[in-house]
Amino acid sequence: MSTSSAPLRVLDGHNDLPWHHRELAGYDLDACDIAHAQPQLHTDLPRMRDGGLAAQLWSVWVPCSFTGEAAVAATHEQIDFVEALCARYEQMVPARTAADVRSAWGEGRHAALIGMEGGHSIAGSLETLAAFADRGARYMTLTHNDNTEWADSATDERVHGGLTDFGREVVRSMNDLGMVVDLSHVSAETMHDALDTSRLPVMFSHSGARAVCDHPRNVPDDVLERVPANGGIVMANVVPKFVNQARADLDLGRTDAVPEPVATIEHVVAHFEHLREVVGIEHVGIGADYDGVDETPVGLEDVSTYPALLAALGERGWSRGDLTALAHGNALRVLEATEV
């Protein structure tokens, strides 16, 4: 089938440019100006245009080593950087709502949204959570790689058995504040607890299917099967150790491999195919995790390559309507359903 009638706009769920830019240039947009090609990054404006990346939920992540008020302050600095991008580049505009995204597209501009990655950024405070919502944060990943005091992570020891009572309070507050509950990075028990608690659609901003690649960062089928009833979305990523089983086994110490197995676009396509089968096309999106990893799959090297992914899916029978839903339609629906 042909998907070439017009380039599809992509709304990606997760990109770590803010932290990567901090590491490379201390947020100095003169020293690392993304208006021009920046080969040390996965993301710059020329490649965003080439890839049709028309809206991004920019991750305002800080490492779990940042705790308490240091984590709060660093997260605010990350939001400051997203705002600085919009102030500097005329083609980028801040967005919070689905209507904001559509308005930006009507002007031919990129819609810049904010997503928080890791509940440690609120330092155990619902007031701090509300302050981030007030600054435009549209989702929060409940944990990063480490547990919080109120939720178990997928990659830490089991401590709480999912969410604590305060964790459920966080989820309910997020519903009230218009912040999507993001279940990437959390344990399967936390996923189930959050689905039990949230009255609004949840998201997985950058997660694959565990049935395709058995890594704890991916989502098991018994969780995926609950997503349609919730109305949520699973946005698959391109991280080699989460998409390629041989790389996952190496990462988890199950095998030794020399040289390292190579992930390709075909591994990523397999996740999208499985997600469509289990959750349905209405609940799948893209959350690549560019600039959050050192390596990307062959064929999906950076943000210019979304058309290659969409074309590969089109060759497997995904219709234009399917691809539109994947590229942005489903994400816009979830944003709209969770607005206040």
Side-chain angles (χ1 to χ4, degrees):
M1 59 155 286
S2 171
T3 59
S4 60
S5 55
L8 282 173
R9 295 187 179 101
V10 172
L11 193 173
D12 184 286
H14 197 88
N15 182 303
D16 280 297
L17 175 66
W19 187 263
H20 199 183
H21 201 285
R22 171 183 166 134
E23 289 186 313
L24 289 173
Y27 302 132
D28 185 342
L29 287 166
D30 291 321
C32 183
D33 184 356
I34 66 165
H36 308 287
Q38 298 293 341
Q40 73 274 37
L41 298 171
H42 297 143
T43 311
D44 52 46
L45 290 174
R47 284 180 289 175
M48 288 166 63
R49 286 191 293 271
D50 290 345
L53 182 56
Q56 180 69 61
L57 278 152
W58 296 104
S59 171
V60 293
W61 170 76
V62 303
C64 293
S65 57
F66 285 60
T67 59
E69 288 307 310
V72 176
T75 306
H76 278 295
E77 290 172 1
Q78 290 270 281
I79 296 175
D80 292 343
F81 176 73
V82 177
E83 293 177 347
L85 292 176
C86 296
R88 182 179 179 106
Y89 302 113
E90 185 179 357
Q91 57 266 62
M92 296 183 71
V93 61
R96 298 191 183 197
T97 67
D100 290 342
V101 174
R102 295 187 181 100
S103 176
W105 291 351
E107 299 169 358
R109 301 169 80 185
H110 170 94
L113 304 105
I114 291 167
M116 296 170 62
E117 184 179 19
H120 60 292
S121 286
I122 67 169
S125 165
L126 296 180
E127 291 77 13
T128 300
L129 177 71
F132 283 124
D134 192 55
R135 290 203 68 187
R138 282 308 317 271
Y139 73 68
M140 184 175 74
T141 322
L142 298 185
T143 73
H144 191 245
N145 288 336
D146 296 350
N147 297 338
T148 65
E149 293 180 355
W150 43 270
D152 282 345
S153 167
T155 49
D156 202 349
E157 297 298 320
R158 183 180 187 270
V159 172
H160 310 299
L163 289 175
T164 68
D165 289 343
F166 181 74
R168 292 181 179 87
E169 196 173 349
V170 170
V171 168
R172 288 189 288 266
S173 294
M174 290 174 69
N175 286 171
D176 294 339
L177 292 165
M179 296 177 73
V180 187
V181 176
D182 178 21
L183 301 180
S184 288
H185 278 287
V186 307
S187 72
E189 289 175 309
T190 303
M191 294 173 190
H192 280 295
D193 284 353
L195 283 162
D196 289 342
T197 305
S198 181
R199 67 177 189 275
L200 297 174
V202 303
M203 73 189 312
F204 296 80
S205 68
H206 57 308
S207 290
R210 199 175 297 186
V212 178
C213 179
D214 182 15
H215 193 289
R217 267 286 281 110
N218 289 332
V219 190
D221 275 3
D222 67 328
V223 174
L224 292 178
E225 289 163 0
R226 299 188 61 185
V227 171
N230 166 266
I233 184 171
V234 185
M235 309 179 87
N237 67 34
V238 304
V239 180
K241 66 185 178 182
F242 303 151
V243 300
N244 177 338
Q245 187 63 62
R247 286 298 293 271
D249 290 342
L250 183 63
D251 176 62
L252 296 168
R254 296 170 179 158
T255 62
D256 297 318
V258 180
E260 288 189 349
V262 174
T264 70
I265 187 173
E266 297 300 326
H267 293 107
V268 176
V269 164
H271 285 263
F272 282 104
E273 291 271 69
H274 184 79
L275 291 173
R276 181 174 69 159
E277 179 181 344
V278 178
V279 303
I281 186 58
E282 300 87 356
H283 303 283
V284 186
I286 303 170
D289 204 10
Y290 285 123
D291 279 300
V293 290
D294 295 330
E295 180 192 353
T296 51
V298 175
L300 293 174
E301 287 79 7
D302 55 46
V303 297
S304 71
T305 62
Y306 295 106
L309 173 62
L310 296 171
L313 293 170
E315 290 169 2
R316 285 157 180 77
W318 291 50
S319 69
R320 178 78 177 186
D322 293 342
L323 295 174
T324 301
L326 170 71
H328 63 255
N330 297 333
L332 287 175
R333 174 186 56 76
V334 170
L335 287 173
E336 203 157 35
T338 52
E339 290 167 7
V340 296

